[in-house]
Amino acid sequence: MVFPDRIERTAGLARQPAWVTAAVLTGTLGLAAACWAVAVWRMSGMNMGTATQLGSFGAFIAVWVAMMAAMMLPGAAPAVLRRAQAGGVRAVPLFTGSYLAVWALAGTVVYAAYRPHGTLAAGAVVIAAAVYEVTPLKRHFRARCREVTGSGFRFGLCCAGSSLGLMAVMVALGVMSIFWMAVVGMLVLAQKLLPAKAVIDLPLALAIAGLGILIVIAPSLVPGLAPPM
């Protein structure tokens, strides 16, 4: 069944001049690539697994915003294109900035709540994240994250709700780990661009749960949980 809103979105994108699409995609993906470079540079040597220290708030939030821009902007590109079609290219900076502001607020919550922890706590968080992946709340936010929205802040809230479980995995296993940042970033991108399908989503949730159980019973088998010797 073809929904009218999807027809409208497709037609709207098709009406855009080619230079608008090219400029918006180049700007969005270029910013994401630049933020990847900044994040990798700033995170080098900071990962201590579950024992990672966050340092000062200013230093942490600067790295966190770069991380979120790198991870989240590629999946937000379709929404940025739709916003450019609806409000013109001038609407894109405000949309993108307010979207990233949500992730900056999420970083503030992480900084306030995070403490260095053991593998038992990390495993419990990962298992809880796996459960969240199959809840109606996750499905609701994931669907909303794929819909048209005129507000970058509202879009960001929906996408944060959709990615909550996956982000919890990254924070629990290594908040400054480039490896887990890349893994979670790829999963977030796939979930933003692809429709929800139980045949994919359920095995993913089971795999995350299996990882959590492995961390609890045999943490030495999961690389990167402990500080490097």
Side-chain angles (χ1 to χ4, degrees), residues 144-214:
R144 292 289 296 154
C145 188
R146 288 170 50 81
E147 294 176 357
V148 178
T149 177
S151 164
F153 193 83
R154 185 172 57 186
F155 176 69
L157 289 175
C158 293
C159 292
S162 175
S163 305
L164 176 62
L166 296 175
M167 293 303 297
V169 170
M170 186 188 78
V171 171
L173 300 186
V175 67
M176 291 296 159
S177 167
I178 297 171
F179 171 76
W180 288 115
M181 175 186 169
V183 170
V184 170
M186 288 187 292
L187 292 174
V188 168
L189 176 62
Q191 289 192 348
K192 282 186 177 180
L193 299 182
L194 301 175
K197 291 184 180 294
V199 69
I200 298 175
D201 298 339
L202 184 57
L204 173 62
L206 291 174
I208 296 173
L211 174 63
I213 293 170
L214 182 64

Side-chain angles (χ1 to χ4, degrees), residues 30-206:
L31 178 59
C35 288
W36 265 107
V38 170
V40 170
W41 168 55
R42 294 293 301 270
M43 292 167 67
S44 179
M46 294 181 66
N47 178 43
M48 302 298 256
T50 59
T52 297
Q53 300 278 349
L54 299 187
S56 69
F57 175 75
F60 168 76
I61 205 67
V63 177
W64 176 268
V65 171
M67 291 168 60
M68 295 303 101
M71 295 171 66
M72 302 301 171
L73 283 179
V80 177
L81 279 173
R82 293 194 295 270
R83 185 61 191 137
Q85 187 275 327
V89 176
R90 293 181 180 179
V92 169
L94 178 59
F95 181 88
T96 305
S98 56
Y99 172 69
L100 293 177
V102 173
W103 290 107
L105 290 174
T108 302
V109 174
V110 169
Y111 188 85
Y114 178 88
R115 298 292 183 276
H117 49 279
T119 54
L120 182 60
V125 170
V126 172
I127 292 171
V131 174
Y132 181 77
E133 285 297 299
V134 294
T135 61
L137 186 61
K138 159 74 179 195
R139 291 194 295 271
H140 167 76
F141 280 126
R142 183 174 176 183
R144 292 289 296 154
C145 188
R146 288 170 50 81
E147 294 176 357
V148 178
T149 177
S151 164
F153 193 83
R154 185 172 57 186
F155 176 69
L157 289 175
C158 293
C159 292
S162 175
S163 305
L164 176 62
L166 296 175
M167 293 303 297
V169 170
M170 186 188 78
V171 171
L173 300 186
V175 67
M176 291 296 159
S177 167
I178 297 171
F179 171 76
W180 288 115
M181 175 186 169
V183 170
V184 170
M186 288 187 292
L187 292 174
V188 168
L189 176 62
Q191 289 192 348
K192 282 186 177 180
L193 299 182
L194 301 175
K197 291 184 180 294
V199 69
I200 298 175
D201 298 339
L202 184 57
L204 173 62
L206 291 174

Side-chain angles (χ1 to χ4, degrees), residues 16 18-30 77 79-82 84-85 88-89 92:
Q16 290 188 94
W19 72 266
V20 173
T21 300
V24 171
L25 282 178
T26 300
T28 303
L29 299 181
V80 177
L81 279 173
R82 293 194 295 270
Q85 187 275 327
V89 176
V92 169

